[in-house]
PDB file of all heavy atoms in Angstrom:
ATOM      1  N   LEU A 110      -3.844 -13.315 -12.347  1.00 83.00           N
ATOM      2  CA  LEU A 110      -4.765 -12.182 -12.225  1.00 83.00           C
ATOM      3  C   LEU A 110      -4.306 -11.020 -13.099  1.00 83.00           C
ATOM      4  O   LEU A 110      -5.128 -10.335 -13.716  1.00 83.00           O
ATOM      5  CB  LEU A 110      -4.857 -11.728 -10.764  1.00 83.00           C
ATOM      6  CG  LEU A 110      -5.597 -12.652  -9.813  1.00 83.00           C
ATOM      7  CD1 LEU A 110      -5.374 -12.220  -8.371  1.00 83.00           C
ATOM      8  CD2 LEU A 110      -7.072 -12.699 -10.138  1.00 83.00           C
ATOM      9  N   GLY A 111      -2.997 -10.787 -13.139  1.00 86.00           N
ATOM     10  CA  GLY A 111      -2.456  -9.722 -13.973  1.00 86.00           C
ATOM     11  C   GLY A 111      -2.814  -9.906 -15.432  1.00 86.00           C
ATOM     12  O   GLY A 111      -3.236  -8.968 -16.113  1.00 86.00           O
ATOM     13  N   LYS A 112      -2.656 -11.127 -15.925  1.00 86.00           N
ATOM     14  CA  LYS A 112      -2.981 -11.410 -17.329  1.00 86.00           C
ATOM     15  C   LYS A 112      -4.483 -11.331 -17.572  1.00 86.00           C
ATOM     16  O   LYS A 112      -4.939 -10.754 -18.557  1.00 86.00           O
ATOM     17  CB  LYS A 112      -2.473 -12.801 -17.709  1.00 86.00           C
ATOM     18  CG  LYS A 112      -0.979 -12.866 -17.848  1.00 86.00           C
ATOM     19  CD  LYS A 112      -0.528 -14.280 -18.159  1.00 86.00           C
ATOM     20  CE  LYS A 112       0.985 -14.388 -18.108  1.00 86.00           C
ATOM     21  NZ  LYS A 112       1.446 -15.773 -18.192  1.00 86.00           N
ATOM     22  N   LEU A 113      -5.265 -11.919 -16.669  1.00 83.00           N
ATOM     23  CA  LEU A 113      -6.711 -11.980 -16.845  1.00 83.00           C
ATOM     24  C   LEU A 113      -7.363 -10.601 -16.818  1.00 83.00           C
ATOM     25  O   LEU A 113      -8.240 -10.287 -17.620  1.00 83.00           O
ATOM     26  CB  LEU A 113      -7.330 -12.873 -15.765  1.00 83.00           C
ATOM     27  CG  LEU A 113      -8.831 -13.127 -15.854  1.00 83.00           C
ATOM     28  CD1 LEU A 113      -9.158 -13.891 -17.133  1.00 83.00           C
ATOM     29  CD2 LEU A 113      -9.298 -13.915 -14.640  1.00 83.00           C
ATOM     30  N   TYR A 114      -6.924  -9.744 -15.875  1.00 82.00           N
ATOM     31  CA  TYR A 114      -7.558  -8.437 -15.698  1.00 82.00           C
ATOM     32  C   TYR A 114      -6.746  -7.278 -16.282  1.00 82.00           C
ATOM     33  O   TYR A 114      -7.161  -6.136 -16.187  1.00 82.00           O
ATOM     34  CB  TYR A 114      -7.821  -8.181 -14.216  1.00 82.00           C
ATOM     35  CG  TYR A 114      -8.870  -9.099 -13.635  1.00 82.00           C
ATOM     36  CD1 TYR A 114      -8.507 -10.167 -12.813  1.00 82.00           C
ATOM     37  CD2 TYR A 114     -10.221  -8.913 -13.912  1.00 82.00           C
ATOM     38  CE1 TYR A 114      -9.472 -11.017 -12.275  1.00 82.00           C
ATOM     39  CE2 TYR A 114     -11.187  -9.756 -13.380  1.00 82.00           C
ATOM     40  CZ  TYR A 114     -10.797 -10.806 -12.570  1.00 82.00           C
ATOM     41  OH  TYR A 114     -11.749 -11.642 -12.040  1.00 82.00           O
ATOM     42  N   GLY A 115      -5.568  -7.553 -16.840  1.00 86.00           N
ATOM     43  CA  GLY A 115      -4.752  -6.484 -17.420  1.00 86.00           C
ATOM     44  C   GLY A 115      -4.259  -5.496 -16.388  1.00 86.00           C
ATOM     45  O   GLY A 115      -4.272  -4.288 -16.621  1.00 86.00           O
ATOM     46  N   ILE A 116      -3.806  -5.997 -15.255  1.00 88.00           N
ATOM     47  CA  ILE A 116      -3.344  -5.115 -14.183  1.00 88.00           C
ATOM     48  C   ILE A 116      -1.841  -5.279 -13.972  1.00 88.00           C
ATOM     49  O   ILE A 116      -1.262  -6.317 -14.255  1.00 88.00           O
ATOM     50  CB  ILE A 116      -4.107  -5.367 -12.865  1.00 88.00           C
ATOM     51  CG1 ILE A 116      -4.068  -6.836 -12.468  1.00 88.00           C
ATOM     52  CG2 ILE A 116      -5.518  -4.865 -12.957  1.00 88.00           C
ATOM     53  CD1 ILE A 116      -4.813  -7.161 -11.195  1.00 88.00           C
ATOM     54  N   HIS A 117      -1.222  -4.219 -13.471  1.00 91.00           N
ATOM     55  CA  HIS A 117       0.215  -4.203 -13.219  1.00 91.00           C
ATOM     56  C   HIS A 117       0.560  -4.639 -11.804  1.00 91.00           C
ATOM     57  O   HIS A 117       1.629  -5.186 -11.564  1.00 91.00           O
ATOM     58  CB  HIS A 117       0.766  -2.794 -13.449  1.00 91.00           C
ATOM     59  CG  HIS A 117       0.570  -2.316 -14.846  1.00 91.00           C
ATOM     60  ND1 HIS A 117      -0.501  -1.545 -15.228  1.00 91.00           N
ATOM     61  CD2 HIS A 117       1.300  -2.515 -15.964  1.00 91.00           C
ATOM     62  CE1 HIS A 117      -0.412  -1.276 -16.520  1.00 91.00           C
ATOM     63  NE2 HIS A 117       0.668  -1.853 -16.994  1.00 91.00           N
ATOM     64  N   GLY A 118      -0.316  -4.333 -10.853  1.00 90.00           N
ATOM     65  CA  GLY A 118      -0.040  -4.641  -9.460  1.00 90.00           C
ATOM     66  C   GLY A 118      -1.295  -5.047  -8.717  1.00 90.00           C
ATOM     67  O   GLY A 118      -2.410  -4.706  -9.122  1.00 90.00           O
ATOM     68  N   ILE A 119      -1.080  -5.787  -7.639  1.00 90.00           N
ATOM     69  CA  ILE A 119      -2.183  -6.260  -6.804  1.00 90.00           C
ATOM     70  C   ILE A 119      -1.860  -5.934  -5.361  1.00 90.00           C
ATOM     71  O   ILE A 119      -0.764  -6.239  -4.872  1.00 90.00           O
ATOM     72  CB  ILE A 119      -2.376  -7.781  -6.960  1.00 90.00           C
ATOM     73  CG1 ILE A 119      -2.727  -8.117  -8.410  1.00 90.00           C
ATOM     74  CG2 ILE A 119      -3.437  -8.299  -5.994  1.00 90.00           C
ATOM     75  CD1 ILE A 119      -2.660  -9.583  -8.737  1.00 90.00           C
ATOM     76  N   VAL A 120      -2.816  -5.316  -4.678  1.00 91.00           N
ATOM     77  CA  VAL A 120      -2.686  -5.070  -3.244  1.00 91.00           C
ATOM     78  C   VAL A 120      -3.503  -6.141  -2.533  1.00 91.00           C
ATOM     79  O   VAL A 120      -4.686  -6.314  -2.815  1.00 91.00           O
ATOM     80  CB  VAL A 120      -3.182  -3.666  -2.843  1.00 91.00           C
ATOM     81  CG1 VAL A 120      -3.113  -3.475  -1.339  1.00 91.00           C
ATOM     82  CG2 VAL A 120      -2.371  -2.586  -3.558  1.00 91.00           C
ATOM     83  N   THR A 121      -2.867  -6.868  -1.646  1.00 89.00           N
ATOM     84  CA  THR A 121      -3.526  -7.926  -0.901  1.00 89.00           C
ATOM     85  C   THR A 121      -3.037  -7.886   0.541  1.00 89.00           C
ATOM     86  O   THR A 121      -2.073  -7.199   0.849  1.00 89.00           O
ATOM     87  CB  THR A 121      -3.243  -9.307  -1.529  1.00 89.00           C
ATOM     88  OG1 THR A 121      -3.994 -10.294  -0.829  1.00 89.00           O
ATOM     89  CG2 THR A 121      -1.782  -9.659  -1.478  1.00 89.00           C
ATOM     90  N   GLY A 122      -3.699  -8.626   1.406  1.00 91.00           N
ATOM     91  CA  GLY A 122      -3.249  -8.644   2.791  1.00 91.00           C
ATOM     92  C   GLY A 122      -4.135  -9.466   3.690  1.00 91.00           C
ATOM     93  O   GLY A 122      -5.005 -10.211   3.230  1.00 91.00           O
ATOM     94  N   THR A 123      -3.910  -9.311   4.976  1.00 93.00           N
ATOM     95  CA  THR A 123      -4.666 -10.037   5.986  1.00 93.00           C
ATOM     96  C   THR A 123      -5.104  -9.104   7.102  1.00 93.00           C
ATOM     97  O   THR A 123      -4.472  -8.088   7.358  1.00 93.00           O
ATOM     98  CB  THR A 123      -3.826 -11.174   6.615  1.00 93.00           C
ATOM     99  OG1 THR A 123      -2.656 -10.608   7.198  1.00 93.00           O
ATOM    100  CG2 THR A 123      -3.423 -12.210   5.594  1.00 93.00           C
ATOM    101  N   VAL A 124      -6.199  -9.493   7.730  1.00 94.00           N
ATOM    102  CA  VAL A 124      -6.673  -8.846   8.950  1.00 94.00           C
ATOM    103  C   VAL A 124      -6.645  -9.942  10.006  1.00 94.00           C
ATOM    104  O   VAL A 124      -7.236 -11.006   9.807  1.00 94.00           O
ATOM    105  CB  VAL A 124      -8.118  -8.310   8.795  1.00 94.00           C
ATOM    106  CG1 VAL A 124      -8.575  -7.614  10.079  1.00 94.00           C
ATOM    107  CG2 VAL A 124      -8.232  -7.391   7.600  1.00 94.00           C
ATOM    108  N   SER A 125      -5.960  -9.715  11.107  1.00 94.00           N
ATOM    109  CA  SER A 125      -5.850 -10.758  12.122  1.00 94.00           C
ATOM    110  C   SER A 125      -5.858 -10.164  13.518  1.00 94.00           C
ATOM    111  O   SER A 125      -5.609  -8.981  13.705  1.00 94.00           O
ATOM    112  CB  SER A 125      -4.574 -11.573  11.912  1.00 94.00           C
ATOM    113  OG  SER A 125      -3.437 -10.733  11.933  1.00 94.00           O
ATOM    114  N   ARG A 126      -6.182 -11.021  14.467  1.00 91.00           N
ATOM    115  CA  ARG A 126      -6.112 -10.622  15.869  1.00 91.00           C
ATOM    116  C   ARG A 126      -4.873 -11.270  16.452  1.00 91.00           C
ATOM    117  O   ARG A 126      -4.633 -12.452  16.283  1.00 91.00           O
ATOM    118  CB  ARG A 126      -7.340 -11.058  16.642  1.00 91.00           C
ATOM    119  CG  ARG A 126      -7.222 -10.641  18.114  1.00 91.00           C
ATOM    120  CD  ARG A 126      -8.499 -10.692  18.890  1.00 91.00           C
ATOM    121  NE  ARG A 126      -9.578  -9.899  18.357  1.00 91.00           N
ATOM    122  CZ  ARG A 126      -9.748  -8.584  18.547  1.00 91.00           C
ATOM    123  NH1 ARG A 126      -8.872  -7.903  19.219  1.00 91.00           N
ATOM    124  NH2 ARG A 126     -10.800  -7.977  18.060  1.00 91.00           N
ATOM    125  N   LEU A 127      -4.087 -10.457  17.130  1.00 85.00           N
ATOM    126  CA  LEU A 127      -2.882 -10.924  17.796  1.00 85.00           C
ATOM    127  C   LEU A 127      -2.989 -10.477  19.252  1.00 85.00           C
ATOM    128  O   LEU A 127      -2.760  -9.315  19.565  1.00 85.00           O
ATOM    129  CB  LEU A 127      -1.654 -10.333  17.117  1.00 85.00           C
ATOM    130  CG  LEU A 127      -0.319 -10.928  17.464  1.00 85.00           C
ATOM    131  CD1 LEU A 127      -0.271 -12.398  17.053  1.00 85.00           C
ATOM    132  CD2 LEU A 127       0.798 -10.176  16.759  1.00 85.00           C
ATOM    133  N   GLY A 128      -3.406 -11.389  20.123  1.00 87.00           N
ATOM    134  CA  GLY A 128      -3.666 -11.020  21.517  1.00 87.00           C
ATOM    135  C   GLY A 128      -4.854 -10.092  21.592  1.00 87.00           C
ATOM    136  O   GLY A 128      -5.930 -10.386  21.082  1.00 87.00           O
ATOM    137  N   ASP A 129      -4.634  -8.921  22.175  1.00 89.00           N
ATOM    138  CA  ASP A 129      -5.721  -7.947  22.292  1.00 89.00           C
ATOM    139  C   ASP A 129      -5.629  -6.854  21.226  1.00 89.00           C
ATOM    140  O   ASP A 129      -6.228  -5.809  21.352  1.00 89.00           O
ATOM    141  CB  ASP A 129      -5.727  -7.328  23.691  1.00 89.00           C
ATOM    142  CG  ASP A 129      -4.455  -6.542  23.984  1.00 89.00           C
ATOM    143  OD1 ASP A 129      -3.458  -6.718  23.256  1.00 89.00           O
ATOM    144  OD2 ASP A 129      -4.463  -5.756  24.957  1.00 89.00           O
ATOM    145  N   ARG A 130      -4.872  -7.112  20.161  1.00 92.00           N
ATOM    146  CA  ARG A 130      -4.668  -6.128  19.093  1.00 92.00           C
ATOM    147  C   ARG A 130      -5.152  -6.684  17.756  1.00 92.00           C
ATOM    148  O   ARG A 130      -5.071  -7.873  17.496  1.00 92.00           O
ATOM    149  CB  ARG A 130      -3.182  -5.771  18.956  1.00 92.00           C
ATOM    150  CG  ARG A 130      -2.453  -5.469  20.245  1.00 92.00           C
ATOM    151  CD  ARG A 130      -2.674  -4.116  20.758  1.00 92.00           C
ATOM    152  NE  ARG A 130      -1.936  -3.128  19.982  1.00 92.00           N
ATOM    153  CZ  ARG A 130      -2.105  -1.837  20.143  1.00 92.00           C
ATOM    154  NH1 ARG A 130      -2.950  -1.375  21.018  1.00 92.00           N
ATOM    155  NH2 ARG A 130      -1.430  -0.984  19.421  1.00 92.00           N
ATOM    156  N   VAL A 131      -5.627  -5.788  16.892  1.00 93.00           N
ATOM    157  CA  VAL A 131      -5.988  -6.143  15.525  1.00 93.00           C
ATOM    158  C   VAL A 131      -4.864  -5.639  14.627  1.00 93.00           C
ATOM    159  O   VAL A 131      -4.443  -4.489  14.733  1.00 93.00           O
ATOM    160  CB  VAL A 131      -7.333  -5.517  15.111  1.00 93.00           C
ATOM    161  CG1 VAL A 131      -7.604  -5.751  13.634  1.00 93.00           C
ATOM    162  CG2 VAL A 131      -8.459  -6.077  15.959  1.00 93.00           C
ATOM    163  N   ARG A 132      -4.372  -6.522  13.761  1.00 95.00           N
ATOM    164  CA  ARG A 132      -3.266  -6.183  12.858  1.00 95.00           C
ATOM    165  C   ARG A 132      -3.743  -6.339  11.412  1.00 95.00           C
ATOM    166  O   ARG A 132      -4.389  -7.315  11.070  1.00 95.00           O
ATOM    167  CB  ARG A 132      -2.089  -7.104  13.100  1.00 95.00           C
ATOM    168  CG  ARG A 132      -0.944  -6.866  12.112  1.00 95.00           C
ATOM    169  CD  ARG A 132       0.220  -7.752  12.399  1.00 95.00           C
ATOM    170  NE  ARG A 132       0.869  -7.228  13.595  1.00 95.00           N
ATOM    171  CZ  ARG A 132       1.852  -7.850  14.239  1.00 95.00           C
ATOM    172  NH1 ARG A 132       2.272  -9.017  13.827  1.00 95.00           N
ATOM    173  NH2 ARG A 132       2.386  -7.306  15.300  1.00 95.00           N
ATOM    174  N   VAL A 133      -3.393  -5.353  10.592  1.00 95.00           N
ATOM    175  CA  VAL A 133      -3.660  -5.412   9.159  1.00 95.00           C
ATOM    176  C   VAL A 133      -2.314  -5.342   8.451  1.00 95.00           C
ATOM    177  O   VAL A 133      -1.533  -4.421   8.685  1.00 95.00           O
ATOM    178  CB  VAL A 133      -4.563  -4.264   8.684  1.00 95.00           C
ATOM    179  CG1 VAL A 133      -4.770  -4.314   7.173  1.00 95.00           C
ATOM    180  CG2 VAL A 133      -5.910  -4.297   9.401  1.00 95.00           C
ATOM    181  N   THR A 134      -2.041  -6.333   7.618  1.00 94.00           N
ATOM    182  CA  THR A 134      -0.833  -6.318   6.790  1.00 94.00           C
ATOM    183  C   THR A 134      -1.263  -6.169   5.342  1.00 94.00           C
ATOM    184  O   THR A 134      -2.332  -6.648   4.952  1.00 94.00           O
ATOM    185  CB  THR A 134      -0.013  -7.615   6.939  1.00 94.00           C
ATOM    186  OG1 THR A 134      -0.808  -8.715   6.511  1.00 94.00           O
ATOM    187  CG2 THR A 134       0.421  -7.817   8.382  1.00 94.00           C
ATOM    188  N   ALA A 135      -0.458  -5.494   4.558  1.00 94.00           N
ATOM    189  CA  ALA A 135      -0.762  -5.304   3.135  1.00 94.00           C
ATOM    190  C   ALA A 135       0.518  -5.421   2.330  1.00 94.00           C
ATOM    191  O   ALA A 135       1.605  -5.115   2.827  1.00 94.00           O
ATOM    192  CB  ALA A 135      -1.402  -3.939   2.909  1.00 94.00           C
ATOM    193  N   ARG A 136       0.360  -5.876   1.087  1.00 92.00           N
ATOM    194  CA  ARG A 136       1.480  -6.031   0.165  1.00 92.00           C
ATOM    195  C   ARG A 136       1.062  -5.566  -1.214  1.00 92.00           C
ATOM    196  O   ARG A 136      -0.058  -5.824  -1.636  1.00 92.00           O
ATOM    197  CB  ARG A 136       1.902  -7.494   0.073  1.00 92.00           C
ATOM    198  CG  ARG A 136       2.523  -8.025   1.315  1.00 92.00           C
ATOM    199  CD  ARG A 136       2.523  -9.558   1.308  1.00 92.00           C
ATOM    200  NE  ARG A 136       2.911 -10.087   2.595  1.00 92.00           N
ATOM    201  CZ  ARG A 136       2.116 -10.172   3.650  1.00 92.00           C
ATOM    202  NH1 ARG A 136       0.864  -9.765   3.575  1.00 92.00           N
ATOM    203  NH2 ARG A 136       2.558 -10.653   4.789  1.00 92.00           N
ATOM    204  N   LEU A 137       1.995  -4.937  -1.916  1.00 92.00           N
ATOM    205  CA  LEU A 137       1.807  -4.622  -3.328  1.00 92.00           C
ATOM    206  C   LEU A 137       2.639  -5.630  -4.096  1.00 92.00           C
ATOM    207  O   LEU A 137       3.857  -5.699  -3.933  1.00 92.00           O
ATOM    208  CB  LEU A 137       2.263  -3.198  -3.653  1.00 92.00           C
ATOM    209  CG  LEU A 137       2.222  -2.797  -5.131  1.00 92.00           C
ATOM    210  CD1 LEU A 137       0.814  -2.861  -5.701  1.00 92.00           C
ATOM    211  CD2 LEU A 137       2.813  -1.409  -5.324  1.00 92.00           C
ATOM    212  N   ILE A 138       1.978  -6.429  -4.934  1.00 91.00           N
ATOM    213  CA  ILE A 138       2.633  -7.491  -5.693  1.00 91.00           C
ATOM    214  C   ILE A 138       2.686  -7.097  -7.161  1.00 91.00           C
ATOM    215  O   ILE A 138       1.684  -6.657  -7.731  1.00 91.00           O
ATOM    216  CB  ILE A 138       1.867  -8.823  -5.533  1.00 91.00           C
ATOM    217  CG1 ILE A 138       1.827  -9.228  -4.068  1.00 91.00           C
ATOM    218  CG2 ILE A 138       2.501  -9.916  -6.387  1.00 91.00           C
ATOM    219  CD1 ILE A 138       0.930 -10.420  -3.784  1.00 91.00           C
ATOM    220  N   ASP A 139       3.840  -7.257  -7.772  1.00 91.00           N
ATOM    221  CA  ASP A 139       4.003  -7.028  -9.207  1.00 91.00           C
ATOM    222  C   ASP A 139       3.287  -8.165  -9.934  1.00 91.00           C
ATOM    223  O   ASP A 139       3.656  -9.330  -9.779  1.00 91.00           O
ATOM    224  CB  ASP A 139       5.494  -7.019  -9.555  1.00 91.00           C
ATOM    225  CG  ASP A 139       5.761  -6.659 -11.007  1.00 91.00           C
ATOM    226  OD1 ASP A 139       4.946  -7.029 -11.888  1.00 91.00           O
ATOM    227  OD2 ASP A 139       6.792  -6.027 -11.264  1.00 91.00           O
ATOM    228  N   ALA A 140       2.281  -7.846 -10.714  1.00 89.00           N
ATOM    229  CA  ALA A 140       1.474  -8.870 -11.379  1.00 89.00           C
ATOM    230  C   ALA A 140       2.193  -9.509 -12.567  1.00 89.00           C
ATOM    231  O   ALA A 140       1.737 -10.512 -13.093  1.00 89.00           O
ATOM    232  CB  ALA A 140       0.140  -8.278 -11.844  1.00 89.00           C
ATOM    233  N   ARG A 141       3.324  -8.944 -12.972  1.00 90.00           N
ATOM    234  CA  ARG A 141       4.099  -9.566 -14.058  1.00 90.00           C
ATOM    235  C   ARG A 141       5.068 -10.620 -13.523  1.00 90.00           C
ATOM    236  O   ARG A 141       5.297 -11.629 -14.167  1.00 90.00           O
ATOM    237  CB  ARG A 141       4.870  -8.510 -14.841  1.00 90.00           C
ATOM    238  CG  ARG A 141       3.952  -7.564 -15.616  1.00 90.00           C
ATOM    239  CD  ARG A 141       4.735  -6.510 -16.321  1.00 90.00           C
ATOM    240  NE  ARG A 141       5.459  -5.731 -15.300  1.00 90.00           N
ATOM    241  CZ  ARG A 141       6.353  -4.794 -15.567  1.00 90.00           C
ATOM    242  NH1 ARG A 141       6.666  -4.516 -16.796  1.00 90.00           N
ATOM    243  NH2 ARG A 141       6.941  -4.130 -14.607  1.00 90.00           N
ATOM    244  N   THR A 142       5.652 -10.358 -12.347  1.00 90.00           N
ATOM    245  CA  THR A 142       6.679 -11.257 -11.818  1.00 90.00           C
ATOM    246  C   THR A 142       6.237 -12.030 -10.579  1.00 90.00           C
ATOM    247  O   THR A 142       6.863 -13.011 -10.220  1.00 90.00           O
ATOM    248  CB  THR A 142       7.942 -10.460 -11.436  1.00 90.00           C
ATOM    249  OG1 THR A 142       7.626  -9.580 -10.351  1.00 90.00           O
ATOM    250  CG2 THR A 142       8.482  -9.682 -12.625  1.00 90.00           C
ATOM    251  N   GLY A 143       5.197 -11.551  -9.914  1.00 88.00           N
ATOM    252  CA  GLY A 143       4.739 -12.178  -8.679  1.00 88.00           C
ATOM    253  C   GLY A 143       5.542 -11.777  -7.465  1.00 88.00           C
ATOM    254  O   GLY A 143       5.288 -12.249  -6.356  1.00 88.00           O
ATOM    255  N   SER A 144       6.493 -10.868  -7.614  1.00 90.00           N
ATOM    256  CA  SER A 144       7.319 -10.468  -6.472  1.00 90.00           C
ATOM    257  C   SER A 144       6.642  -9.355  -5.659  1.00 90.00           C
ATOM    258  O   SER A 144       5.885  -8.544  -6.197  1.00 90.00           O
ATOM    259  CB  SER A 144       8.701 -10.008  -6.941  1.00 90.00           C
ATOM    260  OG  SER A 144       8.587  -8.879  -7.775  1.00 90.00           O
TER     261      SER A 144
END
Side-chain angles (χ1 to χ4, degrees):
L110 289 169
K112 287 177 188 171
L113 184 64
Y114 292 105
I116 53 181
H117 299 95
I119 298 168
V120 176
T121 185
T123 59
V124 181
S125 57
R126 179 165 303 278
L127 193 62
D129 63 344
R130 313 280 285 171
V131 173
R132 176 178 286 172
V133 177
T134 61
R136 292 163 190 79
L137 175 61
I138 300 172
D139 185 326
R141 293 178 299 173
T142 65
S144 62

